[in-house]
Amino acid sequence: MSLRSIMYATLAAFLVAASFVVARPAVSAAAAVRVMPLGDSITAGPGCWRAKLWHRLQTSGYTNIDFVGGVSDGGGCNPGYAYDFDHEGHGGFSATGIADNNQLPPWLAAARPDVVLMHLGTNDMWGGYIPTATKLAAFTKLVGQMRAQNPAVRIVVAQIIPMSASACATCPADVVALNAAIPGWAAGLTTAQSPIVVADLWTGFDAATDTGDGVHPNDAGFQKMADRWFPAVTQVLSGVTPSPSGSRSASPSPSRSVSPSASASASRSPSMSPSAGGAKCVAEYKLVSQWSGAFQGEVTVRNASAAASSAWTATLTFSGGQQVSQAWNATVTQAGAVATARNAAYNGALPAGGSTSFGFIASWTTTNPAPAVTCAFA
């Protein structure tokens, strides 16, 4: 074979090979897991536990994550390595304030998290006038709003870092009370689809040496926070499967999440009723927790039909003289033994098979039987 023939044959083989390379479909990268750090100035300003946690996750093989939120620290931690600046920390904000003012839903709508890391409660401690039950009710409302945005959201809730008596005389004991209540609260609210995992940021943290002012961590404190976040966050990341299309789903892994304890077992009272257009509304009641003179309840409203709905109303009929004092994710009014709940602006529309929930705090006296509960679509 002549030299020219060899050259033509080689060129032809190269072009054939190149055509195969060009024709191969592009492999799209898996969607990153969207993680929202949610908190106050301990998360925001500059909240360098985020940088340290990000770095440890990256160096431990958890590289396909994206910290999300409407705030950026602009690299203010300056740790000597790259990290994700985004978060949803707001200096001076409290859990009760965020809940009362419904500030969380628009943040969630913008960030669309798969996972939320929540360190909240520090600003609820000042003055010692907010009861632990009220703080937990705010936590519950925030969880409901997270699930309204993403039913499969996974939530890591921190037992918050301590505060020193020099900064606030009543705060140390109030922090202890909140932290002691969080595991039971989480156990009562966790689900297989949307588990709540508790991160113990209290243990091993010294407010005298790990903060600069008895409240805000120094560099050593931020490192301790990152170290305590890490096992809880990796536990949750192991079960998350983000969707490339932007909608989210999670593979349940109950053995790796908080399971309801016997003391927080739920009593459920489901009912189904037909509504306008043939749509069926299913309402289910759950007793979340109960203490002396008061209790926390939750009602799940589900669209059990093939037709979408635009609004719903749920009715609870109490038989033990219970009185609703506050509610979240719904507007609740009560006349005598009957409490009527109407959807909030952000959770009224339910697709076929879709569901939402609302919670409430109510009083009880000698007994607390479960209410009869029904619902209907407008």
Side-chain angles (χ1 to χ4, degrees):
M1 181 180 290
S2 68
L3 178 60
R4 177 173 294 182
S5 298
I6 293 173
M7 290 176 62
Y8 284 150
T10 302
L11 179 59
F14 173 78
L15 291 173
V16 170
S19 68
F20 279 111
V21 172
V22 172
R24 286 184 63 187
V27 179
S28 59
V33 177
R34 300 172 67 85
V35 180
M36 174 195 275
L38 172 64
D40 47 40
S41 58
I42 294 171
T43 296
C48 293
W49 64 262
R50 294 179 287 100
K52 296 177 184 296
L53 175 61
W54 170 268
H55 182 66
R56 184 171 179 187
L57 288 168
Q58 296 293 309
T59 56
S60 299
Y62 295 88
T63 56
N64 198 29
I65 57 173
D66 180 14
F67 277 12
V68 296
V71 187
S72 171
D73 69 28
C77 290
N78 195 26
Y81 45 76
Y83 69 97
D84 195 324
F85 303 161
D86 298 328
H87 63 90
E88 203 64 68
H90 297 269
F93 281 44
S94 63
T96 52
I98 293 171
D100 290 345
N101 295 304
N102 291 313
Q103 291 169 303
L104 184 58
W107 300 345
L108 294 168
R112 299 174 295 107
D114 299 298
V115 178
V116 176
L117 313 182
M118 188 173 87
H119 186 285
L120 272 175
T122 300
N123 289 315
D124 299 270
M125 299 297 163
W126 302 109
Y129 63 89
I130 301 177
T132 297
T134 302
K135 297 164 191 168
L136 292 178
F139 281 13
T140 302
K141 180 176 180 178
L142 297 178
V143 168
Q145 292 174 337
M146 295 173 198
R147 289 172 173 170
Q149 191 278 327
N150 176 6
V153 68
R154 292 178 172 242
I155 306 160
V156 185
V157 175
Q159 290 172 295
I160 64 175
I161 63 173
M163 303 169 71
S164 72
S166 62
C168 168
T170 59
C171 290
D174 285 349
V175 172
V176 169
L178 176 65
N179 284 343
I182 284 175
W185 165 84
L189 206 58
T190 196
T191 67
Q193 184 184 26
S194 176
I196 301 174
V197 173
V198 177
D200 178 9
L201 271 64
W202 165 274
T203 300
F205 195 102
D206 187 337
T209 60
D210 295 327
T211 71
D213 56 5
V215 179
H216 299 90
N218 54 27
D219 191 63
F222 282 133
Q223 184 63 62
K224 286 185 177 181
M225 289 184 71
D227 291 343
R228 302 296 292 189
W229 276 118
F230 181 77
V233 173
T234 54
Q235 174 183 333
V236 165
L237 289 176
S238 299
V240 177
T241 307
S243 167
S245 66
S247 61
R248 255 146 308 277
S249 61
S251 304
S253 54
S255 63
R256 298 178 63 87
S257 62
V258 179
S259 301
S261 64
S263 62
S265 61
S267 62
R268 299 180 180 271
S269 174
S271 72
M272 180 181 291
S273 55
S275 301
K280 289 184 172 63
C281 187
V282 178
E284 185 175 73
Y285 168 78
K286 179 175 72 172
L287 176 64
V288 176
S289 61
Q290 178 176 298
W291 56 96
S292 178
F295 68 99
Q296 179 179 328
E298 181 180 87
V299 175
T300 298
V301 176
R302 181 166 59 87
N303 183 357
S305 72
S309 66
S310 59
W312 52 263
T313 301
T315 302
L316 297 88
T317 303
F318 295 102
S319 59
Q322 300 97 324
Q323 291 291 317
V324 176
S325 57
Q326 59 179 292
W328 49 93
N329 294 337
T331 300
V332 178
T333 57
Q334 185 168 351
V338 179
T340 302
R342 292 179 173 81
N343 63 268
Y346 51 82
N347 64 356
L350 295 179
S355 65
T356 189
S357 63
F358 67 91
F360 62 91
I361 300 293
S363 62
W364 65 283
T365 52
T366 55
T367 60
N368 186 24
V373 57
T374 60
C375 66
F377 295 128

